[in-house]
Amino acid sequence: MTTKDYDRNVVLSTQNDFKVVGTRPVRHDGVDKVTGRAIYGADYDASGLLHGKILRSPHAHAKILSIDTSKAEALDGVQAVVTAADFPETADKTMELGEDETKLRDLRGNILAKDKVLYVGHAIAGVAASNPHVAEEALSLIEIKYEVLPSVMTTDEAMADGAPILHEDQTTEELGNDSGIVSNVAKHFQHIKGDVAEGFKQAEVIVEREYNTVTVHQGYIAPHNGTAFWSADGRLHIWCETQGSFVVRDSLADLLDIPVSMIRVTPTEIGGGFGGKIPIYVEPVAALLSKKTGTPVKIVMSRKETFEGSGPTPGSKIKIKVGATSDGKITAAHAWMAMEAGAYAGSPVGAAAQCVFAAYDLENGLIDGFDVVVNKPKTAAYRAPGSPNAAFGFEQALNELAEKLGMDPIDLRLKNVATEGTRRVDGPVFQRIGAKEVLEAMREHPHYQSEKKSGSGRGVAIGFWFNIGFDSACNIALNKDGTVNLTEGSTDIGGSRTSIAMQAAEVLGISAEDVRPSVVDTDTVGFTAVTGGSRTTFATGWAAYEAAQDVKKQCIERAASIWDVNAENLQMEDGVISSKSDSELKMTLKELGAQLSDTGGGITGRASVKPRGVGGSFCGNIVDLSIDEETGKITIERFTAIQDAGKAIHPSYVEGQMQGGSAQGIGWALNEEYFMNDEGRMTNSSLLDYRMPTALDLPMIDTVIVEVANPGHPFGVRGVGEANIVPPTPAIANAVYDSSGNRITQLPMSPVAILEAFKS
Amino acid sequence: MLPTIPYVRLRLHLNGIIDIKYDFFSVRTDNQGGSLLKWIDYQAPESVADAVKILADSNGNARPLAGGTDLIVQLRVKDPRVNAETVVDIKKIPELNQMDYDKSGGLTIGAAVPLHLIYNNPDVIKHFPAIIDSASLIGGTPIQGRATLGGNLCNGAPSGDSIPNLVAHNVVATVAGPNGTREIPVEDVCTGPRQTSIDSNELLVSLYFPNPGDGFGANYIRFIPRNEMDIAVAGAGVSVKISDGKFVDGRVCLASVAPKPILVEGSSKALIGQPVSDEAIQKAAEAARDAASPISDMRGTAEYRKHLCEVLTRRALNTAVERAGGK
Amino acid sequence: MTTKTHVQTTINGEPVDFLCEPRQSLLECLRDVIGLTGTKEGCNDGNCGACTVNIDGRIVTSCLVLGVEAQGASIETIEGIADGTNLHPIQLAFLEGAALQCGICTPGFIVATKALLEKNPDPTEHEIRFWLANNLCRCTGYDKIVRAVQEAAKKMQEA
């Protein structure tokens, strides 16, 4: 296919010899979701269900002097009240939470504050009552005395000399060693490759600039929720919307000091996550309330609580210095990045460091990262966490460099592009990657080749996410009609049941519809890590591939036993087992299924995998926009996203990831922000004033799926969930510059900010 | 060095320069407010007299409920200015549901008529098309299934999109109380943020749009960062009346740039008697800018809002002139 | 203080009576009292559209309607869109066009789209985007939703 033939959505396919992989079947859970039958967390009901509500801090930073819950407990209809005092005291430890690590003490403190509140919205107490109105009324009867402390809201404020300290026992980890210095800086790390000072000496052109971004939220439409039932037999059952049911189980076991075997987590359908539904918030409170009442307790956050009491992605300060020779070869680059962790250590600055220079083959590079606590909600993962912040800086600096060099910005990137064998500044050496192919597809795309509309600006940028592997498990049982049931533990946020089932179908030679996938609870499938890190189709898909291979092997063995021939002489293709030498010997899976019980019993394949061949994904954007010079308002006129999927198992849902990530990136670029007042309170904690894009704010988002197969996956899958949110903010900033000659270094590029930039 | 636009600067406005004396629009900033309704009583009278009696008997603790798209939210977040123990559903009262285009060329719209019935009404489309400018942009489609012009007015938000539009149309409000009915020019209804000249024992019955006569054109536009579903950072409702190439009347009313919607006298002065020209329109726009006294908040800085008043007034006047057949 | 009101409605064509407190929204009544949980809550202040239902031929956000106000009303929810086991063309278009990812906003979009196409059988892309601007979707970027609405319109006109 030549680029001239591009339709709006294109797959530049490298492997076409599949029967199921690469097709677009209707998703298995689709009918339930278009008829309102699918059960999400807030829909869960149980006999005797109580409703919980959580009291939250009105202060950004304060000591809790006393908590008096007696009046709340006395209110008619109130069944129980819990505070941090209801948690068992256990020794601190480091916990792995999907993509993040956190200390048990911090997790516990975030779920219910004990001695101090560290942000407006910090949970303090939970109430269970017969209905949610009564529970909410009871909250107003809880009396808390505070000693209000001065707060810090940005990395600048938190890192300043004499800044108010959030954690008196937190000392800075300075380049791997405990500095012993009490500070809001939890950690300062460096990655060094080559000799940056020498590299800058060789540079003939240097760009150096500072960029700032503010807190934004994932904006999933379903607020956090969870129902807990602590049964008289000591077992705790949780139903909740989570990206990782096993993370919920394991976190609860640590928090409540009970064995994992006593906890069963049933993941419901999940109303969006984007990383934000990896951590737990309400589940432990519901569990403590259920333990006190002996009945199931459901807690559903309000939208305001979701903004103020869950985990957004951080504001950050990024300083970039990059130099090149006059022919466009980058000689050195330095990224200095400080990111707000929120109230407890653990910002995504580490991930940002893995991404900031990843698309480029740098001889000399230096990355400084600072993880800084501030009086805001503890940040959580948000789609390629940290990478968009970093790219907003570096991908703008590259365009500025290209302009100074008189080069096309894509040509500059291609001249320095990372390929197989490139060692990243943070250490790893790339296997086969698709950065070059993505940039080439951008350069050749009819959008890039087209004339801009008069008055429009055009911008480009690319972004990276490394993707993760981690544990996945899968079981596949053959039915007597030749179909299979597939059980897996990856909660399905965007069609992953189907992309996983399709990989099993491909192996078994049956249709996607003949695989019936189910996402099951933690008692029913082996340990499976979070739906995150773009790992689900990659790793759980691999588990399905392996489990299907197991089924295939057993089917062949069973047929061999039925026919009394050597299994090595048999093959299975298109769902038919046949002999390589005797054309008379043939049996469909359906025929085999019907005989299972009489020939030795059922066939179940199983697999637990922890794949290491993770392949990172690159995404590029081309954006055209216009600016109303009188109001500063940006209109996105045309938007193209081009991403390396490795292999697109279900192209429609790959496109969906690209379009969704683009839309979130556009929102981040234009209008989304936590607007904090001088008391540290978010003043726009509603979906009216936290301005996520509506249907009317976006154009169609054209996609090109580039397929550079990942050698580390049987079908070449890379994982496409995240890299697509990285390039929109710098691509839009580059387009604003192209349109107006103004370099915007601050997010969001809201109308008022644009107009002020134009004026000064 | 190219400039950066510091977020800090916006915060500085809030921290130091601007003293927020009144809370412009936000009913959503009270952290202790909650998200569910506390106990309320519900009454649904079927006559104006019954409704007025309920309101009068409630000693200020009752609120009329039309579309509820503001009231229910305010009661949920426990807005201290909207503390109702009883909500009085006024949608069953015939007078409040009327849409009557009369022989004189005037139009009466009942206080409880939802927006979608207004902008789909043939008389509105034919005779008062400019009211659709605001009726079709308050909230989104499902909000317009419930929200009313009466509610938008009585809510008294400085940002109420329909109010400048009503003022530009010289609308008169009919209000019923214990002592009978009275009429109030719409520009005299709002007195401050969420404060109106309609007493707690009174009920807005209807809005009367007088026949504007020939040569009339009006327009309402607002500025929002998104393209829909937003609160006006600033809004301008204007009308002109043109005869023999001259402005014989001109009204400019601004939203979101003062504690209440403001009718700008200076803009009228700049227009009336002048030939229809870019110069006159520009002067009226500058008068609007000068009349605005906005605050800085999350929706925009004071300086930006004043600037928008000029831009929006100019653009709206140009459209109004065009609609009046003047261009 | 615990007085409940008897409300008589028609929901998805069937008479439904329920008891509710005046402080309960229609959304709460549908979900918690009647058990129709297909209508979703995303914000509870009218800004996300996940709770969109059709009352007497007009879509509204059910979080901003009191349950007691529904007396005598005819209400259509997502559960009433399909004709038994036959999906509505809009539902089919959303399924086949991959116009949903997490699916939480989907009921609201489908109820709103049905009202649009009943009023305007052949809407432009702008008219679709304008009508649906009160329905937030955070997963899809709206591209496939708008296309699904276009496809459904085409199919319904052909039918």
Side-chain angles (χ1 to χ4, degrees), chain A residues 40 43 133 218 655 695, chain C residues 28 31 40 102 129 138 144:
Chain A
Y40 293 76
D43 305 334
H133 295 264
Q218 298 86 352
E655 291 157 9
Chain C
E28 289 173 81
R31 291 176 54 81
K40 305 300 182 188
C102 82
R129 290 182 180 278
R138 192 60 160 172
K144 293 188 190 305

Side-chain angles (χ1 to χ4, degrees), chain A residues 8-9 24 26-27 30-31 33-40 42-43 51 131-134 137 217-223 241 270-272 274 298 301 303 382-383 493-495 650 652-653 655-657 659-661 663-664 672 686-688 690 692-696 698-702, chain C residues 1 21 23-25 28 31-32 36-45 47-48 50 78-82 87 90-92 94-107 109-110 125-144 146-147 150:
Chain A
R8 282 187 171 276
N9 299 316
R24 301 174 188 243
V26 166
R27 61 194 282 174
V31 170
K33 286 178 178 165
V34 298
T35 55
R37 296 282 165 194
I39 298 298
Y40 293 76
D43 305 334
H51 297 267
N131 76 52
H133 295 264
V134 172
E137 197 180 336
H217 197 269
Q218 298 86 352
Y220 32 80
I221 302 298
E241 288 187 12
I270 171 170
F274 314 109
K298 175 159 84 175
M301 279 193 192
R303 176 54 53 180
Y382 177 22
R383 208 165 201 155
I493 313 187
H650 192 310
S652 294
Y653 286 97
E655 291 157 9
Q657 290 295 316
Q659 290 161 338
Q664 286 184 315
E672 292 182 32
S686 76
L687 291 177
L688 180 65
Y690 184 86
M692 309 196 311
T694 73
L696 201 56
L698 297 172
M700 292 295 190
I701 295 165
D702 299 346
Chain C
M1 285 286 280
E21 299 174 351
R23 65 180 166 182
Q24 287 179 296
S25 66
E28 289 173 81
R31 291 176 54 81
D32 301 343
L36 290 174
T37 56
T39 306
K40 305 300 182 188
E41 178 184 322
C43 70
N44 212 28
D45 58 11
N47 289 300
C48 78
I78 184 64
E79 289 91 345
I81 302 290
L87 294 181
I90 297 167
Q91 292 171 313
L92 279 172
F94 270 64
L95 272 184
E96 287 164 1
L100 62 148
Q101 286 180 33
C102 82
I104 196 85
C105 70
T106 309
F109 269 98
I110 288 175
E125 182 187 334
H126 181 83
E127 286 169 340
I128 294 168
R129 290 182 180 278
F130 184 84
W131 185 271
L132 297 175
N134 203 155
N135 291 79
L136 292 176
C137 170
R138 192 60 160 172
C139 294
T140 65
Y142 305 103
D143 183 300
K144 293 188 190 305
V146 174
R147 289 170 196 279
Q150 290 170 328

